[in-house]
Amino acid sequence: MELSPSVKYWLNFFHPVMMWALLLISLYAAYLGLQVQRTRNAQGEEKKELIKGRYNIKHYQIGSILLGLMVAGAIGGMAVTYINNGKLFVGPHLLAGLGMTSLIAFSASLSPYMQKGANWARATHILLNFALLGLFAWQAITGVQIIQRILTQA
């Protein structure tokens, strides 16, 4: 089954819109993670107030959603590129995306260790996620460049 040229064209924009939304959600997840850390280090009344925010539960839930959608978004982006071009373009955008997919998987895999109180896992999780946000910013820049090329070819 061959897709119409119109469908192929508009498929180009699904991945970037989804990934920009995920970048914003990632920043929110980072905020929640910082609140979890704040809660962990707080004392007395401040800790009681922070616990009411349920930041740990929200962070875990948002992180789980991010994991699923980011992996699906990476695969979807590669699929659309292949559908439209018959090949993948190996370059900074693809390589950063593959790196992001690996980092989020490794980061999420540390959850059971963090739940058992392993500080090495918590520190590694934080480090991986800051690296992930850095790659995500690079992805956004290279993605905009790709969209600009698509729009000028239309």
Side-chain angles (χ1 to χ4, degrees), residues 68-83:
L69 291 178
M70 193 175 292
V71 171
I75 293 169
M78 289 185 286
V80 168
T81 300
Y82 191 81
I83 288 167

Side-chain angles (χ1 to χ4, degrees):
M1 179 178 121
E2 182 68 24
L3 296 174
S4 74
S6 175
V7 170
K8 283 184 171 184
Y9 177 77
W10 288 106
L11 276 176
N12 285 312
F13 302 103
F14 182 75
H15 171 76
V17 168
M18 178 181 179
M19 297 312 281
W20 273 97
L22 289 178
L23 176 56
L24 295 175
I25 294 168
S26 294
L27 293 171
Y28 178 62
Y31 164 78
L32 292 172
L34 292 171
Q35 295 306 324
V36 170
Q37 194 69 13
R38 234 179 104 209
T39 304
R40 183 173 288 108
N41 295 328
Q43 305 272 329
E45 285 301 313
E46 180 187 15
K47 186 167 190 144
K48 288 179 185 177
E49 280 303 308
L50 287 168
I51 287 171
K52 290 178 185 176
R54 299 171 42 129
Y55 297 114
N56 58 340
I57 294 168
K58 291 175 186 175
H59 181 70
Y60 187 82
Q61 290 171 337
I62 292 291
S64 296
I65 291 167
L66 273 172
L67 171 63
L69 291 178
M70 193 175 292
V71 171
I75 293 169
M78 289 185 286
V80 168
T81 300
Y82 191 81
I83 288 167
N84 284 330
N85 302 289
K87 64 180 180 177
L88 294 179
F89 299 99
V90 178
H93 191 77
L94 175 65
L95 297 175
L98 293 172
M100 288 169 52
T101 303
S102 298
L103 286 177
I104 198 165
F106 284 127
S107 180
S109 73
L110 295 170
S111 291
Y113 300 102
M114 290 185 291
Q115 289 171 349
K116 291 181 180 177
N119 285 327
W120 66 266
R122 190 168 286 116
T124 304
H125 176 80
I126 292 167
L127 180 68
L128 290 173
N129 287 337
F130 274 109
L132 175 64
L133 281 174
L135 279 177
F136 219 152
W138 178 250
Q139 267 308 79
I141 292 166
T142 59
V144 167
Q145 293 168 347
I146 292 167
I147 291 298
Q148 288 173 331
R149 276 194 305 251
I150 291 169
L151 291 173
T152 57
Q153 293 172 356

